[in-house]
Amino acid sequence: AQKVTQAQTEISVVEKEDVTLDCVYETRDTTYYLFWYKQPPSGELVFLIRRNSFDEQNEISGRYSWNFQKSTSSFNFTITASQVVDSAVYFCALTPPLGTASKLTFGTGTRLQVTL
Amino acid sequence: GAVVSQHPSWVICKSGTSVKIECRSLDFQATTMFWYRQFPKQSLMLMATSNEGSKATYEQGVEKDKFLINHASLTLSTLTVTSAHPEDSSFYICSARDAGTGGRETQYFGPGTRLLVL
């Protein structure tokens, strides 16, 4: 069975602070995909990143960066110089390889509040 | 990224009526779509997997006669909440699976439908 744990329920930061959202996962598959989605107050889930289990390179996209550590089964997400527009619920998710129904297993989400 | 639309974005209906929600992949074909339900301040709960040209696969505890799913084409899946009751009020979100190439499979989500049953 697969499991995703986002231990941080809510985080509140002041604008321009850096913030890291933690994600720990469990799976018996040797190949899998990890995702981060952003859900702003409007409700739509916005795709942020997909990471394949065989690619452990960290990734940076603007103010966003992701740290994939297979040894600790973690896929943490860092926002640098946070902005009010970053306020949202962020979900980490896991799926088995293509061809196995590809169901996403979601974490419980981390609500990020960025204030002025 | 790929675009998924969902219609309507919100609906209010009387108890006992049926409500149909459409999910469309606009710029890619999706043989598989998913329907989720989300309660306030909670994570997404998968209701069913919708496969083009075949019957949907429902998750345990989801009534298939209550939540009818039709995936008639590679770009359209519909969810019909039959004989809706107030406890069916929720936020329903669909996603479409873009198989991509070279390990780029991704689920893209629609904007969601807020259902309120009076």
Side-chain angles (χ1 to χ4, degrees), chain B residues 5-111:
Chain B
S5 70
Q6 199 170 329
H7 180 80
S9 56
W10 60 271
V11 58
I12 302 174
C13 69
K14 292 182 179 179
S15 186
T17 60
S18 293
V19 175
K20 180 186 281 190
I21 303 170
E22 293 187 349
C23 179
R24 294 180 185 272
S25 56
L26 298 185
D27 50 2
F28 66 100
Q29 293 184 332
T31 56
T32 305
M33 293 185 177
F34 301 86
W35 287 96
Y36 297 84
R37 185 172 179 177
Q38 186 179 33
F39 292 103
K41 296 194 175 184
Q42 292 190 22
S43 188
L44 283 76
M45 181 190 78
L46 179 65
M47 298 175 65
T49 302
S50 172
N51 300 298
E52 188 266 337
S54 64
K55 291 183 179 180
T57 304
Y58 290 83
E59 295 300 300
Q60 193 172 6
V62 178
E63 299 176 58
K64 60 181 180 180
D65 295 330
K66 173 77 171 175
F67 299 99
L68 300 179
I69 291 173
N70 187 341
H71 195 153
S73 77
L74 289 173
T75 59
L76 174 63
S77 175
T78 60
L79 168 68
T80 301
V81 183
T82 61
S83 187
H85 290 286
E87 58 265 29
D88 298 323
S89 298
S90 190
F91 187 54
Y92 293 88
I93 311 174
C94 73
S95 72
R97 178 175 150 250
D98 182 355
T101 56
R104 294 182 177 277
E105 177 191 341
T106 300
Q107 279 189 37
Y108 294 97
F109 287 80

Side-chain angles (χ1 to χ4, degrees), chain A residues 32-36 47 49-60 66-68 75 93 95, chain B residues 103:
Chain A
Y32 48 88
Y33 301 100
L34 293 161
F35 299 82
W36 275 95
F47 165 73
I49 189 171
R50 174 194 53 250
R51 172 62 64 208
N52 303 333
S53 57
F54 49 83
D55 181 2
E56 291 195 62
Q57 273 192 331
N58 291 325
E59 184 156 339
I60 299 175
W66 290 269
N67 184 353
F68 178 32
F75 187 41
T95 190

